[in-house]
Amino acid sequence: MKLVWSPEMAAKAFVDTVKSCELYQGSSVTELISAMAAGWNATLIVETWCHGDMLTTSIGLAVASTHTCGRHVCIVPDEDSGIEYVASMAKYGMSPEVIVGDPETVVNELDVIDFLVVDAQKNEFARVLKAAKFGHRGAVLVCKNACSTVVSGFRLRSLFDDGGSRRIVRSVFLPVGNGLDIAHVAAVESGSGSGKVKNSKWIKRVDRESGEEFLIRK
């Protein structure tokens, strides 16, 4: 099974996120991320958050999870951040699952992730992406604040197209907000090398009437 895009689900999440974030200005990033998470029907949505971060993305992901009936997990680095996050989200009637710990360690211990959002301004974001586990459906990765000078010129593709077990199917950089790097990651099939060319075999077929032999590559 692969990730399948649902325009209807995306549109509903977009509208509901607009309503939830109507008090915020410049929340276009939130609405876009929410629509993507819902549109891909993500069942495990994961994000990282710490003290001082905006809540808008979390609100959008929480909205998306209600549409997909999925699990929304927020990883925070310490107890104080967790308490702040829970209290702030409660004001909007939302209660995502919160896990306290090192983001790299936590994502590696989670089940198969469908949708992962990280902040490029955080030093550990690349390690978090590499540590995350994705299933056969693949996953969507979103890197916020990708215009940051810390990651100038960085692209998600550089993390996965290295001959390993995962590869980027498609990626795009969007100049929305402070920049979004978005990628669809898929598992490389066994024996497929770089994932671009699958193993093939030749099959011989004989035309019964003419006796002519044909070699067919599959």
Side-chain angles (χ1 to χ4, degrees):
M1 182 183 295
K2 297 181 180 179
L3 287 172
V4 179
W5 179 255
S6 169
E8 295 80 8
M9 193 83 79
K12 291 178 181 178
F14 183 91
V15 172
D16 286 349
T17 301
V18 170
K19 295 177 181 177
S20 298
C21 297
E22 60 185 359
L23 298 180
Y24 290 90
Q25 295 182 350
S27 61
S28 57
V29 170
T30 299
E31 295 147 5
L32 176 60
I33 292 176
S34 176
M36 286 193 297
W40 286 114
N41 197 28
T43 56
L44 178 53
I45 300 170
V46 179
E47 64 168 324
T48 58
W49 191 91
C50 67
H51 172 74
D53 288 350
M54 293 289 290
L55 278 175
T56 51
T57 297
S58 294
I59 294 172
L61 293 176
V63 170
S65 68
T66 62
H67 286 281
T68 65
C69 296
R71 180 184 175 195
H72 174 201
V73 175
C74 180
I75 303 171
V76 296
D78 50 61
E79 292 290 347
D80 289 341
S81 293
I83 293 172
E84 178 185 350
Y85 181 85
V86 170
S88 298
M89 291 295 284
K91 294 179 181 178
Y92 297 91
M94 300 173 178
S95 54
E97 180 179 346
V98 177
I99 299 179
V100 179
D102 173 62
E104 181 181 356
T105 302
V106 174
V107 294
N108 188 252
E109 294 175 347
L110 287 171
D111 294 330
V112 174
I113 297 172
D114 297 310
F115 200 89
L116 176 61
V117 181
V118 296
D119 190 335
Q121 291 185 341
K122 311 301 180 184
N123 293 331
E124 77 282 356
F125 81 98
R127 298 195 305 272
V128 172
L129 294 176
K130 292 280 283 186
K133 293 184 292 186
F134 312 128
H136 297 299
R137 291 206 318 154
V140 175
L141 309 182
V142 178
C143 190
K144 303 185 298 180
N145 297 315
C147 284
S148 167
T149 56
V150 177
V151 290
S152 179
F154 171 81
R155 290 294 178 267
L156 290 174
R157 188 175 294 277
S158 65
L159 286 177
F160 298 99
D161 287 359
D162 56 0
S165 61
R166 300 180 295 184
R167 67 183 178 90
I168 298 291
V169 176
R170 61 180 65 86
S171 63
V172 63
F173 173 80
L174 299 178
V176 181
N178 291 322
L180 290 177
D181 242 335
I182 304 169
H184 178 199
V185 180
V188 176
E189 295 186 19
S190 177
S192 62
S194 66
K196 295 181 179 179
V197 180
K198 297 181 180 180
N199 286 342
S200 60
K201 60 181 179 179
W202 292 94
I203 299 176
K204 183 172 71 173
R205 291 286 185 269
V206 179
D207 189 305
R208 293 183 178 180
E209 294 185 1
S210 66
E212 188 175 1
E213 293 185 355
F214 297 90
L215 288 178
I216 303 173
R217 190 175 185 176
K218 296 188 67 178

